[in-house]
């Protein structure tokens, strides 16, 4: 559809501008230091200010109320080399972010930080890049779910980022961090021409243009968010309505990434039986 293509181009330009001016390869990455940190012990470290502790424990309880949440938490609690820090921050109140990645000389991820907004239980991101978290909105409005489910879904999204970055080669990540600003600078000065041979070459080296890299990361976060919701709402009457809503958004905005969502839907008969084929 022409209108849809036009909207996607506008979204692309807007996303590049956002990425360029925020100066980050990944809206969720706050540190891309190449230094190898001292080899420490893996595990999960919670650094929570006393004034946010009550709400944080509620969100965590919600995340741990599912098999998948418990399994992922256990995995990081006993991780042999990755130290995952979780913190609640006063900034980006409804959002969350993952970053401060560090690798050892063997190329293993040894440090990562997930920073949760202090009002994580509120605020629904757009369905274009966040088809899973966004789908919760009408169910929250009708009080079928509480804010803690939204917060726990956002935690699952961030765990998805950390899992994905653990399997991304360190050198590729650093190459992307270096080349994305170069790409964005050219793009913003060449009349938004993605066919510019310099940009085609940069995208080839990085494994995609900045928006493709960014949306791929976001959709991995959303895939893990969906995994969490699959367990969380399995017994709720509205689970088919929720997953149909996710499906429609994925089909409309994330067609190229549909497979990773469909795999999760197929991994549990109940959701698959809804309508996901
Ligand atoms: Zn994200």
């Amino acid at each position: 559809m022409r209108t849809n293509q036009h909207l996607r181009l506008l979204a692309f330009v807007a996303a590049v501008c956002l990425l360029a001016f925020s100066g980050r390869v990944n809206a969720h990455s706050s540190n891309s230091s190449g230094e190898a940190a001292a080899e420490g012990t893996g595990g999960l470290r919670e650094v929570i200010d006393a004034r946010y502790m009550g709400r944080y424990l509620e969100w965590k309880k919600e995340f741990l109320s599912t098999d998948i949440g418990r399994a992922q938490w256990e995995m990081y609690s006993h991780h042999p080399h990755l130290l995952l820090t979780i913190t609640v921050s006063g900034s980006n109140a409804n959002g969350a972010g993952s970053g401060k990645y560090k690798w050892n000389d063997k190329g293993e991820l040894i440090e990562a930080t997930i920073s949760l907004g202090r009002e994580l239980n509120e605020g629904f991101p757009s369905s274009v890049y966040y088809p899973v978290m966004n789908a919760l909105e009408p169910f929250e409005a009708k009080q079928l779910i509480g804010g803690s489910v939204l917060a726990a879904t956002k935690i699952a999204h961030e765990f998805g980022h950390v899992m994905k970055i653990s399997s991304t080669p360190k050198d590729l990540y650093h190459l992307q961090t270096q080349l994305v600003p170069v790409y964005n600078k050219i793009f913003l000065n060449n009349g938004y021409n993605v066919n510019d041979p310099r940009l085609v070459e940069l995208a080839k080296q990085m494994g995609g243009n900045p928006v493709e890299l960014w949306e791929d990361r976001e959709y991995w976060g959303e895939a893990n968010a969906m995994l969490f919701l699959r367990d969380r709402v399995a017994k709720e009457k509205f689970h088919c309505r929720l997953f149909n809503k996710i499906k429609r958004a994925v089909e409309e905005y994330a067609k190229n990434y549909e497979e990773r969502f469909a795999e999760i839907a197929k991994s549990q008969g109940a959701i698959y039986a809804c309508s996901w084929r």
Side-chain angles (χ1 to χ4, degrees), residues 31 33 35-37 100-104 108-112:
N31 183 328
S33 163
E35 298 161 35
K100 297 187 180 170
Y101 302 128
K102 283 185 181 167
W103 286 262
N104 63 16
E108 295 164 333
L109 187 69
I110 54 168
E111 280 186 36

Side-chain angles (χ1 to χ4, degrees), residues 23-222:
R24 290 182 278 182
V25 57
N26 177 349
H28 290 252
S29 166
S30 54
N31 183 328
S32 57
S33 163
E35 298 161 35
E39 194 86 39
T41 320
L44 214 154
R45 183 173 61 151
E46 295 160 282
V47 182
I48 314 294
D49 191 289
R51 66 198 142 142
Y52 304 133
M53 187 56 92
R55 65 188 82 176
Y56 170 73
L57 290 176
E58 249 179 67
W59 306 336
K60 177 181 168 183
K61 189 175 153 196
E62 188 68 63
F63 184 67
L64 296 181
S65 73
T66 59
D67 288 346
I68 195 73
R70 281 193 301 276
Q72 293 184 353
W73 197 272
E74 276 295 295
M75 178 186 73
Y76 286 117
S77 297
H78 299 107
H79 203 284
H81 51 254
L82 173 63
L83 175 63
L84 176 60
T85 300
I86 300 183
T87 186
V88 176
S89 138
S91 59
N92 191 15
N94 298 150
S98 306
K100 297 187 180 170
Y101 302 128
K102 283 185 181 167
W103 286 262
N104 63 16
D105 293 338
K106 288 183 259 178
E108 295 164 333
L109 187 69
I110 54 168
E111 280 186 36
T113 295
I114 290 177
S115 176
L116 308 172
R118 68 179 191 279
E119 285 158 14
L120 199 65
N121 52 320
E122 291 173 18
F124 297 87
S126 136
S127 59
V128 179
Y129 291 117
Y130 303 99
V132 178
M133 294 192 281
N134 177 275
L136 289 171
E137 190 167 18
F139 301 92
E140 206 253 357
K142 287 180 195 149
Q143 299 184 333
L144 290 167
I145 58 151
S148 288
V149 175
L150 173 63
T153 308
K154 290 177 182 175
I155 292 174
H157 176 102
E158 297 307 320
F159 269 58
H161 281 312
V162 174
M163 274 179 231
K164 185 59 191 164
I165 208 80
S166 305
S167 63
T168 301
K170 170 187 169 185
D171 292 345
L172 176 63
Y173 182 79
H174 287 135
L175 182 73
Q176 291 169 347
T177 309
Q178 279 173 350
L179 297 185
V180 162
V182 179
Y183 184 107
N184 290 342
K185 199 172 171 192
I186 297 172
F187 179 75
L188 296 172
N189 287 296
N190 76 354
Y192 307 146
N193 176 16
V194 287
N195 298 319
D196 184 321
R198 292 171 297 171
L199 296 188
V200 172
E201 178 54 31
L202 282 169
K204 202 169 125 193
Q205 285 182 50
M206 293 190 285
N209 67 46
V211 174
E212 286 165 342
L213 299 177
W214 180 74
E215 67 185 11
D216 181 53
R217 284 181 191 155
E218 290 314 315
Y219 291 137
W220 279 118
E222 286 297 270

